[in-house]
Amino acid sequence: MVVRPAALALVMAALCGQAVSAQVVFYVNATATTGANNGLSWANAFRGELGLQNALAAAAPIASGGTLVQIWTASGTYKATSDPLNLDQSFRLLNSVSIYGGFNGTE
């Protein structure tokens, strides 16, 4: 059985009588070549250089409803656009969304 840190934190908060908020985790891996590309696990991580942008787009409607979202990114290079001439594109960070990086993609 694999216990994710986020799930463990929710259980500990509940046991200590603290308010518990729902939380969603999306996974991103620039070098992944297989899987559903839906971000629901490392095996199905959002993939490619646009993976982080896709994860942020998936997180936006969830976070706007007040649910906390974590995005875990494997080491790699991520871009906000595939258009090399559009240098004005950037990642738009969102309230209630945390981004963590440097994972190897098997945690």
Side-chain angles (χ1 to χ4, degrees):
M1 179 171 119
V2 175
V3 178
R4 294 189 178 140
L8 183 59
L10 291 174
V11 170
M12 294 303 294
L15 291 174
C16 294
Q18 297 176 359
V20 178
S21 299
Q23 185 167 292
V24 173
V25 178
F26 286 121
Y27 300 86
V28 182
N29 188 341
T31 61
T33 57
T34 61
N37 198 33
N38 61 16
L40 298 180
S41 66
W42 283 121
N44 295 308
F46 288 112
R47 58 184 181 256
E49 291 180 333
L50 298 178
L52 179 56
Q53 191 71 301
N54 294 334
L56 286 165
I62 298 167
S64 69
T67 299
L68 300 177
V69 179
Q70 289 186 358
I71 298 175
W72 291 18
T73 61
S75 296
T77 301
Y78 299 97
K79 297 182 178 180
T81 181
S82 60
D83 181 358
L85 300 177
N86 190 349
L87 301 178
D88 293 332
Q89 285 291 328
S90 61
F91 294 107
R92 183 171 175 259
L93 302 182
L94 307 167
N95 291 329
S96 300
V97 177
S98 300
I99 301 172
Y100 301 94
F103 293 98
N104 65 20
T106 59
E107 289 79 9

